[in-house]
Each structure stands twice: as structure tokens, then as C-alpha cells.
Amino acid sequence: MSELQQTTAGDGKDIAGREFLAFTLGSEEYGIDILKVQEIRGYEAVTRIANAPEFIKGVINLRGIIIPVVDMRIKFNLGTPVYDQFTVVIILNIGGRIVGMVVDSVSDVTTLTPEQVKPAPEMGTAFSTDYMIGLGTIDERMLILVDIDKLMSSSEMGLIDKLAA
């Protein structure tokens, strides 16, 4: 099976062996493909944009580039966000578009083997399983692996399409 076929197979095995950045939102730990991460920054004040959805905190100026910042805690209805010294903004590069994502904290980068990746179960989680590519298990930890491309370019986020227009 070619690499292209593997990445479109969707059986979870295609993500095994890749590195994931682990981050927390509330009490859950998530993982995103490290190759989508441009940098990690401390949280700083954002400029609010009128009439933007509540989960879009606003924009920041990143070395001359104005980028939207999404608070994932608001997006996934995980309670009132608290901004402290652990709060970080993960700067993502999604299809050439730069987007900031506010999370509670980041912990580490981990490589998952095929045995550590399980398919995502169908359940009523904070976000649709459409955006889950599986569950990564590391000892006693479980990472919810998120397809960050799919999530950030989804119509409900409205980020990538609006930016591209």
C-alpha cells in the first residue's frame, strides 16, 4: 500500500509513527500532528473583532502577520476559560494559513506506534468524532487525536474559508 493510500485509509494505522503535540483542554488531553505546529507562545491579549463568533478570541500580530486566535475551550463548551501562566497559544499552519489556538497547557511531543493508536469510538463528546482520528494510549495516558486540518477548515469554524476568500 502506498503512503498516499495509507493516509487516506483512515484506519488509524496511517497516523502511527507520527509525532503528536499533547495539550490539555479542561481535564482531557489531546494530540495534534506536530507538523501542523509552527510555534508555541504564551497567551497574550488579543484584539477583539466585532461580530466574530465567541470562540474566536480575536487577532494578534505575529511578526507582521495578523492571525485569528480560536479559544478551543469556548469552542468545545468546556466551561469558562481561565488565562494563567500555563495558558498557551499554539500557532498552526493549516494549508498555508496561520491560525492561533488557545489551550490550557502543552505537555510534550510523543511518537505513537501502531499498537498505541485505537479507532475513535462513536460517542457524544464535546466535539464531533468527525474531527477525531483516533485515541493514542501511552501507559496510563490517553490522547484524543484531533484532525486539526479538518477541524480548523470546517464550516462551523468558518476560519480557513473566510481567510481564503
Side-chain angles (χ1 to χ4, degrees):
M1 186 183 280
S2 76
E3 195 174 316
L4 179 63
Q5 288 172 314
Q6 283 182 328
T7 51
T8 56
D11 62 0
K13 300 293 182 249
D14 53 314
I15 58 174
R18 293 217 316 250
E19 292 185 317
F20 289 86
L21 174 67
F23 64 90
T24 57
L25 288 172
S27 59
E28 301 298 327
E29 203 168 11
Y30 297 82
I32 56 173
D33 186 343
I34 192 69
L35 298 178
K36 304 296 179 190
V37 177
Q38 184 170 305
E39 66 183 272
I40 299 168
R41 302 170 56 88
Y43 182 77
E44 57 192 68
V46 298
T47 304
R48 292 283 304 157
I49 302 294
N51 299 322
E54 187 184 356
F55 62 85
I56 297 183
K57 290 297 296 175
V59 295
I60 59 172
N61 183 335
L62 182 68
R63 293 182 292 281
I65 302 169
I66 305 300
I67 63 166
V69 175
V70 176
D71 192 317
M72 300 309 270
R73 298 168 296 188
I74 296 171
K75 174 68 185 141
F76 295 150
N77 295 319
L78 296 173
T80 306
V82 175
Y83 302 95
D84 59 26
Q85 73 271 24
F86 301 110
T87 306
V88 294
V89 178
I90 301 172
I91 306 297
L92 302 166
N93 189 328
I94 308 287
R97 299 287 175 189
I98 309 299
V99 180
M101 177 174 83
V102 180
V103 299
D104 290 334
S105 65
V106 293
S107 51
D108 58 359
V109 175
T110 187
T111 303
L112 297 172
T113 64
E115 298 76 40
Q116 291 174 303
V117 178
K118 308 287 183 243
E122 289 295 323
M123 57 187 175
T125 57
F127 65 99
S128 168
T129 51
D130 293 348
Y131 309 126
M132 282 177 64
I133 45 181
L135 295 171
T137 55
I138 307 138
D139 300 323
E140 298 301 311
R141 292 168 62 196
M142 189 168 298
L143 289 183
I144 299 168
L145 303 177
V146 179
D147 184 336
I148 200 67
D149 283 319
K150 205 177 213 182
L151 177 62
M152 288 298 180
S153 59
S154 68
S155 58
E156 69 207 45
M157 290 295 255
L159 281 173
I160 305 301
D161 288 339
K162 275 187 195 165
L163 291 173

